[in-house]
């Protein structure tokens, strides 16, 4: 597969790091002059931009959290007046004040370039017909991918979010060769195809790129086999840009290449905030290196990953981050055991006949946590004999106990009882909180 910007994506690391340092210093000078929020933070600690002399010094800089952006709603953290800003996006704000992000013309140009790199790494060429099923609106995904796909010269179909039947009709009639959307969209479309017994050969689909919420390897396998495509992951975060931060190469699918000439990434221990060495898992922290309208220093993403700077067989020298399967705020503590929904999904879907749709209900009875795991199994299994079902329940119970230390009651349910969700955290129903208080949906 061709590399979109070989000069940068294959740049020797020493040269890349020099470029990062120069851009970091330029960013700090701009921030010092034009963002009072950061100027105050610097002054509180006696830090000056010229104190940052190497990339390692980045750890001296203050961390930025989502609450800082909310407190500065809508424009306080912008480094430029609105007359320089040509686009404004925002998060959905379902759990509080939305976070607002702005882009200058240069920011938009860079954004298109970075998404073009990610799309090319995933398999896109100008011959593709790319169907976008992300919702067009305030969120960054649809517009980000749209402009990146146009940059490549592909034909873009801005379907936006819609029922799987509508997506399928357009996919067949317009001969879409690629689908870009959430993994949930892809699963719903794949399952509609299966349900309506539409032959896969009536589609022209070749590849897909999915993101915006974590999805497991098992979900990838299911999407790839049902739709007959190659599917890659990418990482998007609206506070620093949207899509275009990093993406998998189709050759390797072994981590997401970070566009390091625009983003300086670190991994920290979420509790101590110490920077962790390469390869160690922790929370991803991102500093923007070129953003003009809204430069951000050391943004705590709450996403858990690790970074690997070793060379990749695809030839790119850009470091890779591990696929994000969990966020720091998805963590559940059950009977003293720390767990993430993604770990439960991993254990369940390793067993044949189990579908990647499940629900975990946590209750407290007499001061003790009680867990019920409901999981979809294939129809054939449910109509078979009871002995097989019991065996399956036992197997899943033992696996959860052995692999995660989780004691749970198992309940097998029919296909399509639970179905896909937008985010793994929605699979958890935690009834231990205040009366009737189920986990609030994350933004
Ligand atoms: Zn690669």
């Amino acid at each position: 597969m061709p590399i979109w910007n070989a000069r940068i994506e294959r740049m020797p690391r020493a040269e890349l790091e020099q470029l990062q340092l120069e851009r970091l210093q330029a960013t700090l000078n701009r921030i010092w002059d034009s963002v009072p929020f950061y100027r105050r933070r610097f002054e509180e600690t006696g830090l000056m931009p010229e104190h940052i002399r190497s990339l390692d010094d980045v750890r001296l800089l203050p961390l930025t959290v989502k609450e800082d952006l909310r407190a500065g709603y809508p424009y306080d953290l912008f480094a430029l007046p609105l007359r320089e800003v040509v686009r404004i996006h925002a998060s959905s704000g379902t759990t509080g004040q939305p976070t607002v992000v702005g882009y200058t013309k240069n920011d938009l140009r860079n954004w298109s370039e970075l998404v073009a790199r990610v799309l090319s790494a995933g398999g896109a060429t100008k011959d593709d017909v790319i169907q976008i099923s992300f919702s067009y609106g305030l969120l960054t995904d649809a517009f980000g991918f749209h402009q990146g796909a146009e940059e490549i010269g592909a034909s873009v179909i801005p379907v936006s979010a819609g029922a799987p039947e509508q997506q399928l009709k357009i996919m067949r009639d317009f001969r879409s060769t690629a689908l870009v959307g959430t993994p949930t969209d892809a699963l719903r479309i794949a399952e509609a195809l299966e349900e309506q017994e539409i032959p896969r050969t009536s589609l022209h689909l070749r590849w897909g790129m999915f993101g915006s919420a974590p999805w497991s390897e098992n979900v990838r396998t299911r999407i790839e086999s049902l739709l007959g495509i190659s599917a890659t992951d990418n990482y998007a975060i609206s506070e620093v840009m949207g899509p275009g931060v990093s993406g998998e190469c189709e050759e390797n699918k072994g981590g997401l290449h970070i566009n390091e000439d625009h983003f300086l990434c670190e991994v920290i221990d979420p509790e101590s905030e110490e920077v962790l060495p390469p390869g160690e898992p922790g929370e991803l922290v991102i500093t923007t290196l070129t953003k003009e309208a809204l430069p951000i220093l050391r943004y705590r993403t709450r996403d858990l990953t690790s970074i690997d700077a070793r060379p990749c067989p695809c030839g790119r020298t850009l470091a890779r981050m591990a696929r994000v399967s969990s966020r720091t705020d998805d963590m559940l503590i059950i009977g003293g055991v720390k767990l993430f929904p993604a770990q439960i999904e991993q254990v369940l879907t390793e067993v044949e006949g189990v579908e990647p749709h499940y629900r975990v209900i946590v209750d407290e009875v007499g001061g003790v946590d009680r867990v019920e795991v409901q999981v979809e199994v294939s129809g054939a299994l449910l109509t078979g004999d009871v002995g097989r079902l019991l065996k399956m329940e036992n197997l899943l119970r033992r696996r959860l106990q052995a692999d995660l230390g989780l004691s749970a009651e198992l309940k097998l349910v029919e296909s399509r009882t639970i179905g896909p969700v937008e985010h793994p955290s929605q699979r958890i129903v935690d009834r231990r909180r205040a009366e009737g208080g189920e986990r609030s949906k994350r933004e």
Side-chain angles (χ1 to χ4, degrees):
M1 269 293 152
I3 291 179
W4 180 255
N5 187 338
R7 189 181 67 80
I8 296 287
E9 293 177 76
R10 305 180 62 145
M11 188 178 263
R13 291 211 55 92
E15 206 178 312
L16 178 65
E17 284 168 13
Q18 182 56 34
L19 179 66
Q20 287 184 306
L21 181 60
E22 284 163 17
R23 288 181 169 179
L24 174 66
Q25 286 166 333
T27 296
L28 291 174
N29 285 321
R30 273 191 295 118
I31 281 179
W32 174 266
D33 288 336
S34 51
V35 188
F37 163 82
Y38 280 121
R39 175 86 169 242
R40 276 196 304 275
R41 288 263 167 112
F42 280 17
E43 283 171 346
E44 276 162 22
T45 56
L47 193 72
M48 302 279 286
E50 56 266 35
H51 294 152
I52 305 302
R53 295 194 190 94
S54 74
L55 286 180
D56 276 344
D57 289 342
V58 74
R59 64 188 75 193
L60 303 173
L61 296 171
L63 290 157
T64 309
V65 294
K66 199 181 188 89
E67 275 314 311
D68 295 325
L69 285 162
R70 284 187 172 144
Y73 176 85
Y75 301 138
D76 283 4
L77 267 64
F78 280 25
L80 289 170
L82 281 186
R83 65 172 181 276
E84 305 290 336
V85 172
V86 297
R87 177 89 67 77
I88 292 163
H89 281 284
S91 67
S92 57
T94 44
T95 59
Q97 196 74 280
T99 53
V100 177
V101 290
Y103 305 80
T104 63
K105 274 192 180 175
N106 276 335
D107 290 336
L108 284 191
R109 239 173 258 135
N110 286 333
W111 194 9
S112 299
E113 148 82 18
L114 299 189
V115 176
R117 289 186 202 170
V118 166
L119 282 167
S120 300
T125 71
K126 67 184 191 48
D127 298 326
D128 274 305
V129 179
I130 301 181
Q131 177 164 343
I132 295 181
S133 64
F134 279 119
S135 173
Y136 281 70
L138 275 177
L139 301 178
T140 51
D141 303 288
F143 282 91
F145 279 110
H146 186 109
Q147 66 212 22
E150 284 185 348
E151 177 76 15
I152 286 177
S155 315
V156 188
I157 316 173
V159 184
S160 196
E165 293 72 26
Q166 185 205 355
Q167 300 281 353
L168 263 178
K169 177 170 167 49
I170 289 177
M171 196 174 276
R172 295 169 80 189
D173 294 352
F174 292 18
R175 298 194 288 276
S176 310
T177 60
L179 176 66
V180 174
T182 68
T184 310
D185 294 335
L187 273 179
R188 288 201 177 118
I189 293 168
E191 287 172 3
L193 188 76
E194 200 184 29
E195 211 163 51
Q196 296 169 31
E197 294 175 8
I198 299 171
R200 219 171 58 190
T201 47
S202 70
L203 300 183
H204 293 76
L205 217 57
R206 207 164 58 74
W207 60 271
M209 179 169 290
F210 308 109
S212 106
W215 48 305
S216 64
E217 282 302 325
N218 296 305
V219 167
R220 169 160 29 209
T221 309
R222 188 169 168 82
I223 292 172
E224 287 187 330
S225 67
L226 287 178
L227 287 176
I229 60 172
S230 164
T232 60
D233 194 6
N234 74 95
Y235 180 75
I237 180 155
S238 67
E239 288 82 0
V240 308
M241 175 163 277
V245 175
S246 68
E248 278 180 322
C249 56
E250 206 191 2
E251 292 90 334
N252 187 20
K253 293 184 185 171
L256 287 64
H257 287 286
I258 302 165
N259 282 315
E260 293 176 281
D261 52 330
H262 294 262
F263 305 105
L264 182 61
C265 291
E266 306 163 84
V267 171
I268 64 166
D269 178 321
E271 278 158 36
S272 71
E273 300 183 349
E274 287 298 312
V275 178
L276 296 172
E280 256 187 63
E283 181 181 345
L284 179 66
V285 168
I286 304 177
T287 298
T288 64
L289 297 176
T290 54
K291 281 286 288 296
E292 293 180 339
L294 182 61
I296 296 271
L297 298 183
R298 304 192 79 206
Y299 186 68
R300 289 191 67 163
T301 63
R302 300 192 243 168
D303 290 314
L304 297 171
T305 186
S306 58
I307 295 178
D308 181 356
R310 289 174 301 177
C312 179
C314 74
R316 288 177 182 80
T317 49
L318 299 174
R320 287 166 287 159
M321 57 183 264
R323 298 185 71 199
V324 172
S325 64
S326 303
R327 292 169 60 84
T328 51
D329 39 2
D330 290 340
M331 192 171 74
L332 275 171
I333 300 179
I334 299 173
V337 179
K338 289 181 181 173
L339 273 180
F340 290 99
Q343 291 175 290
I344 299 174
E345 176 170 327
Q346 180 70 28
V347 172
L348 294 176
T349 51
E350 271 167 11
V351 176
E352 202 182 331
V354 171
E355 292 174 9
H357 307 320
Y358 65 98
R359 193 185 288 140
V360 179
I361 297 160
V362 193
D363 250 319
E364 193 189 287
V365 182
V368 178
D369 291 340
R370 223 172 53 187
V371 184
E372 181 181 281
V373 177
Q374 302 175 351
V375 59
E376 285 187 12
V377 290
S378 59
L381 196 76
L382 279 174
T383 50
D385 69 293
V386 184
R388 275 182 64 201
L389 275 180
L390 284 176
K391 249 190 180 159
M392 169 77 97
E393 279 183 8
N394 277 329
L395 175 64
L396 290 171
R397 193 178 301 121
R398 278 204 314 272
R399 286 272 181 96
L400 288 171
Q401 179 69 58
D403 293 2
L404 305 176
L406 176 68
S407 314
E409 283 306 306
L410 255 295
K411 192 175 166 190
L412 306 184
V413 299
E414 254 177 273
S415 287
R416 312 202 203 298
T417 317
I418 301 168
V421 295
E422 295 299 337
H423 193 274
S425 63
Q426 291 165 266
R427 298 215 174 271
I428 309 297
V429 182
D430 195 341
R431 295 186 177 139
R432 295 172 299 176
R433 318 250 161 125
E435 278 303 309
E438 296 192 353
R439 265 177 88 88
S440 63
K441 188 177 167 289
R442 91 167 251 270
E443 228 166 284

